[in-house]
Amino acid sequence: MDKLMNNHWFMKVIALLLAFMLYLSVTLEETGSSSSPFNSSSRSGSTSNEETQTIQDVPVTAYFDDDKYIVSGLPETVDITLKGSKSDIKLQRDVKVYANLENLKPGNHQVKLHHNIDDGLNVEIDPKTVQVTIEGKVSKKFPLEVSLASDQIKSGYVAGTPSVSPKSVVVTGGKSQIESISSVKALVEEDDADSTIKQQAKVVAFDRNLNKLNVDINPEFVQVNIPIKRESKSVPLKFEASGTPSEGVKVTSIEPQIKEAVIYGDEDVLKSVSEISEIPVDVSDISGTETIEVNVPLPEGIKRVSPESVKVKVNTSEGSTKEEEVKEDEKETAEKETTKPEETTTEEEEKEQEKEDEEETDSTRTISGVSLSIGGQSDSFLYQMLTPSNGTISISATGPKDTIQSLSAGDISASVSASGYEAGTYTLPISVSGPSGVQITPNTSTAKVEITAKEQQEEEEPPPEEEEDQQGEQTTNYEQQQEQNPANSE
């Protein structure tokens, strides 16, 4: 064996055999065996060396002067089908499809798509030709709008006036594209927002049908700032009967299960709404006592009301029929005709009667300096009364003269409820109560309260008092002076 290994002719023969075997291996791998029933590389059916392959989503490039023109109608990608030998197809590494538009003028053109594939392959592009429109490039400045839908805000919160920087963008595109622009918006991506939104928002141009337009926008992203706050207020609900009840049925009372609702909206709008009145309750065909659900209308400018519907109890009684009413009227008329005129009272009796009437007449008095408290406080927050700044209000009291004359500010209870409110500034309704038989009405119906989270408390300058609060204080000071000098008030 050692002699054979040392023989150079033996080694040459072995090397030749190995080379031949390597050649056969490569050839069989590329072409496949024509006699093998499992050969799947041949798709044409004519020769074992041909194959068909489709390359999908090949990008399309357009060659034109993009500093002057805009091209539309050109597809972003196409499909290419290659036919030829498997080895040639494998060599196609960087397939490109392009449209040469350099010598074309503005207008509509039918153009052919080209490729960079060798001539040894049969190439089919789908589609082969495309309709394109070439337009001169136009640039125009558009004001920006901020797009934030109401369902992107957490229930019970409202969005303030958004700010955007910059306030306008430059849009560049074909003339027809620019003319079709209806709005340019910064799209805010947020869900269940309950605090101020600060983000970089993408700018998109829309046509009149709210379709996005493929145009160049500079800048593409802008800074958006949207305050989100919980602006709400409790207001009383007042219902009234509507429709005609059944014959012989009289509506005696309407009793809602909930007498107040919370409204949400901008601060200025909330100030203008003191109640939701004239809520219609349909009493048609009602008899006996029935409970119906009534929708609460949304006052103008208010964004949300809670609850949206209230159950109302309608009480009725059996009224007199029309014939009975006519007989009752005839009876009253007959009694008036037969009744003798009353004898004239003496002057002394008239004075006595006037005195009694005067004693029975209710008296009305304004009392100032009534302390206003904040109820429903939580240990997690700090509460500050912004208006009235001195924490007191004036009230108007109506009742028996003796009771009213002895009434003082300490006999009156006034408060606002901050229960359930989180950090923020709120305008809350004032509730008052006093001695039995005395009607108490506050001279101002709301108070402004600031709620601050203890762990996030920051020193802030108190907001300037509004003109109406200053006028209220002047009225209060004047009333205090009148109380100190009762002789002047009389």
Side-chain angles (χ1 to χ4, degrees), residues 337-454:
E337 291 176 352
T338 57
T339 301
K340 295 181 180 180
E342 297 182 359
E343 297 180 357
T344 306
T345 59
T346 63
E347 183 179 350
E348 185 175 344
E349 289 174 344
E350 290 178 355
K351 289 182 178 180
E352 185 67 24
Q353 186 66 35
E354 290 177 359
K355 183 178 180 181
E356 291 177 0
D357 293 342
E358 184 178 352
E359 290 176 353
E360 293 176 358
T361 303
D362 286 345
S363 176
T364 299
R365 177 182 166 208
T366 298
I367 300 175
S368 58
V370 176
S371 178
L372 181 61
S373 62
I374 303 175
Q377 297 190 23
S378 170
D379 295 337
S380 303
F381 299 96
L382 297 175
Y383 300 82
Q384 180 183 0
M385 186 78 69
L386 299 181
T387 57
S389 59
N390 59 359
T392 63
I393 63 170
S394 298
I395 61 96
S396 177
T398 302
K401 187 173 183 180
D402 292 342
T403 304
I404 295 300
Q405 287 180 347
S406 62
L407 202 62
S408 65
D411 300 324
I412 309 300
S413 173
S415 65
V416 295
S417 176
S419 176
Y421 289 90
E422 299 181 1
T425 301
Y426 306 96
T427 302
L428 304 177
I430 297 176
S431 300
V432 293
S433 61
S436 177
V438 177
Q439 182 180 353
I440 308 296
T441 304
N443 288 2
T444 177
S445 61
T446 60
K448 184 180 289 186
V449 177
E450 182 181 45
I451 305 176
T452 307
K454 286 185 178 180

Side-chain angles (χ1 to χ4, degrees), residues 94-383:
D94 187 17
V95 178
K96 293 181 180 180
V97 176
Y98 62 92
N100 188 359
L101 312 177
E102 291 182 343
N103 297 324
L104 299 180
K105 296 181 179 179
N108 297 322
H109 302 276
Q110 188 81 13
V111 297
K112 183 179 179 180
L113 298 181
H114 303 276
H115 59 82
N116 66 335
I117 300 174
D118 297 338
D119 294 337
L121 293 174
N122 184 10
V123 181
E124 293 183 3
I125 302 176
D126 183 23
K128 298 179 180 179
T129 60
V130 293
Q131 181 79 23
V132 299
T133 301
I134 302 176
E135 296 180 282
K137 184 176 286 189
V138 177
S139 296
K140 185 178 179 180
K141 182 181 288 187
F142 286 88
L144 264 180
E145 301 176 18
V146 177
S147 177
L148 178 68
S150 58
D151 57 4
Q152 293 178 263
I153 305 174
K154 189 175 182 179
S155 177
Y157 292 77
V158 294
T161 303
S163 61
V164 58
S165 179
K167 296 182 179 180
S168 61
V169 294
V170 176
V171 182
T172 302
K175 183 180 178 182
S176 61
Q177 290 178 310
I178 299 300
E179 290 177 348
S180 68
I181 294 177
S182 176
S183 60
V184 180
K185 298 182 179 182
L187 304 183
V188 176
E189 295 182 358
E190 195 70 34
D191 187 28
D192 240 14
D194 58 0
S195 60
T196 299
I197 299 174
K198 295 182 179 180
Q199 64 176 236
Q200 289 280 329
K202 182 177 177 62
V203 182
V204 178
F206 296 91
D207 63 12
R208 294 169 183 83
N209 297 321
L210 297 181
N211 298 315
K212 293 183 180 181
L213 298 174
N214 185 21
V215 291
D216 295 329
I217 302 176
N218 186 27
E220 187 178 358
F221 291 87
V222 294
Q223 181 65 37
V224 174
N225 188 339
I226 308 175
I228 304 294
K229 49 188 177 179
R230 186 173 186 172
E231 287 289 356
S232 62
K233 172 182 175 181
S234 295
V235 294
L237 301 175
K238 295 187 177 180
F239 298 84
E240 65 176 19
S242 68
T244 304
S246 302
E247 185 176 354
V249 176
K250 180 180 179 182
V251 177
T252 58
S253 64
I254 296 177
E255 302 174 3
Q257 291 185 358
I258 298 176
K259 296 182 179 181
E260 289 189 346
V262 180
I263 56 176
Y264 300 88
D266 295 333
E267 185 176 359
D268 294 340
V269 179
L270 290 176
K271 287 181 180 179
S272 64
V273 180
S274 59
E275 64 180 15
I276 302 178
S277 58
E278 300 181 356
I279 303 175
V281 179
D282 188 6
V283 298
S284 302
D285 302 326
I286 286 183
S287 61
T289 299
E290 293 188 21
T291 299
I292 60 177
E293 190 162 352
V294 179
N295 293 328
V296 180
L298 203 63
E300 184 178 357
I302 296 301
K303 299 181 179 179
R304 180 173 169 263
V305 61
S306 179
E308 297 180 351
S309 62
V310 175
K311 290 185 177 180
V312 177
K313 182 180 180 182
V314 181
N315 299 311
T316 65
S317 64
E318 294 295 332
S320 58
T321 62
K322 293 183 179 180
E323 293 181 357
E324 292 173 344
E325 291 177 357
V326 172
K327 291 180 179 180
E328 188 67 27
D329 292 340
E330 291 176 352
K331 183 178 179 180
E332 290 179 0
T333 303
E335 289 178 352
K336 289 180 181 179
E337 291 176 352
T338 57
T339 301
K340 295 181 180 180
E342 297 182 359
E343 297 180 357
T344 306
T345 59
T346 63
E347 183 179 350
E348 185 175 344
E349 289 174 344
E350 290 178 355
K351 289 182 178 180
E352 185 67 24
Q353 186 66 35
E354 290 177 359
K355 183 178 180 181
E356 291 177 0
D357 293 342
E358 184 178 352
E359 290 176 353
E360 293 176 358
T361 303
D362 286 345
S363 176
T364 299
R365 177 182 166 208
T366 298
I367 300 175
S368 58
V370 176
S371 178
L372 181 61
S373 62
I374 303 175
Q377 297 190 23
S378 170
D379 295 337
S380 303
F381 299 96
L382 297 175
Y383 300 82

